[in-house]
Amino acid sequence: MSVFASLVDHLADLLQPLFGASAAAAAIVLFTALVRLLVHPLSRAAARGQKARTALQPRIAELRRKHAKNPEKLQRAVLDLHTREKVSPLSGCLPSLCQVPAFFLLYHLFSSSSIGGRANELLAHQLLAAPLGGRWADALGDGGAVGGAGLVYAGLFAVVAAVAAFSYRLTKRTMAARPMLPAGDAEAVPGVGAITKVMPFMSFFTLVTVAVVPLAAALYVVTSMTWSAVERAFLYR
């Protein structure tokens, strides 16, 4: 953690002439962009995998009809099909999983009062009037929703809502063009219909995350979410 704290400190020092007191917040945004750049090859591979899995859906539907009374044989047949076609069912999860350590590093860094036995100086940094180690509940208790910190969170919520709305339309369009299963088969598979209905709304749950984590971690989430929306618009077009 001390090494990571030093990295954020150095980035903040570099950005200080441009962003002043909000340099640490800018450093977190830059750090998030660097993480997403490193993960981008996995995102491209996930997009290719999604297109390949979509292309296999008619063949999977045929296997489902053929082995409707033998679930174990169906499972083996589907796995064999993915193996033959060199398509991994889990490839779409890798970009998100690779970002989890970075998120939790930021979460713990801005939740800890001390690092390496010394006071955590990063907690003194702010984004405008909002401390990077504070949460939305703290902002509401210190000035209310229209106070300085409250307005910072209002801005973040507005960005999340806008990006979530964009992601909602993008997901609906993608699912219409590349359905998880052909229409008739989707109705016959338990749970698929519910997943199809809920999936477009998943981005809106980010509002809850932003409200409960430290502001520094919220900045990571909002920046990463925005990057993902733009990335998906290009990769899944």
Side-chain angles (χ1 to χ4, degrees), residues 1 4-5 7-9 11 24-25 27-33 35 99-112 115 120 122-123 132-133 135 213-224:
M1 280 245 295
F4 186 61
L7 172 62
V8 175
D9 246 340
L11 285 175
I28 291 168
V29 173
L30 177 60
F31 169 75
T32 309
V35 171
Q99 294 176 69
V100 170
F103 169 79
F104 278 108
L105 271 174
L106 274 173
Y107 181 91
H108 287 294
L109 185 60
F110 285 88
S111 297
S112 305
I115 299 174
N120 186 358
L122 289 174
L123 296 180
L132 292 180
R135 291 171 167 80
V213 301
L215 179 57
L219 279 175
Y220 181 92
V221 170
V222 173
T223 304
S224 183

Side-chain angles (χ1 to χ4, degrees), residues 16-185:
Q16 179 74 29
L18 291 175
F19 297 96
S22 297
I28 291 168
V29 173
L30 177 60
F31 169 75
T32 309
L34 292 174
V35 171
R36 293 309 308 254
L37 276 175
L38 291 174
V39 174
H40 181 69
L42 293 177
S43 298
R44 293 181 66 88
R48 290 194 298 270
Q50 176 61 42
K51 293 175 182 178
R53 287 193 297 274
T54 301
L56 291 180
Q57 290 304 324
R59 295 166 67 181
I60 292 175
E62 180 60 33
L63 289 174
R64 187 170 288 107
R65 285 190 288 268
K66 182 178 179 182
H67 303 296
K69 298 182 180 180
N70 193 333
E72 292 184 2
K73 193 169 184 179
L74 170 62
Q75 185 178 20
R76 287 196 300 270
V78 171
L79 288 175
D80 289 343
L81 176 62
H82 280 104
T83 301
R84 287 197 307 273
E85 299 297 329
K86 298 180 180 180
V87 175
S88 171
L90 301 177
S91 62
C93 302
L94 289 177
S96 297
L97 290 176
C98 289
Q99 294 176 69
V100 170
F103 169 79
F104 278 108
L105 271 174
L106 274 173
Y107 181 91
H108 287 294
L109 185 60
F110 285 88
S111 297
S112 305
S113 58
S114 63
I115 299 174
R118 302 172 59 183
N120 186 358
E121 297 179 357
L122 289 174
L123 296 180
H125 290 281
Q126 296 181 314
L127 172 58
L128 301 177
L132 292 180
R135 291 171 167 80
W136 184 44
D138 300 324
L140 292 178
D142 183 19
V146 294
L151 290 176
V152 170
Y153 275 94
L156 284 180
F157 291 146
V159 172
V160 171
V163 175
F166 174 79
S167 296
Y168 170 83
R169 291 194 295 269
L170 181 63
T171 302
K172 291 282 285 186
R173 187 177 66 198
T174 302
M175 292 178 68
R178 304 185 182 95
M180 296 173 64
L181 290 172
D185 293 289

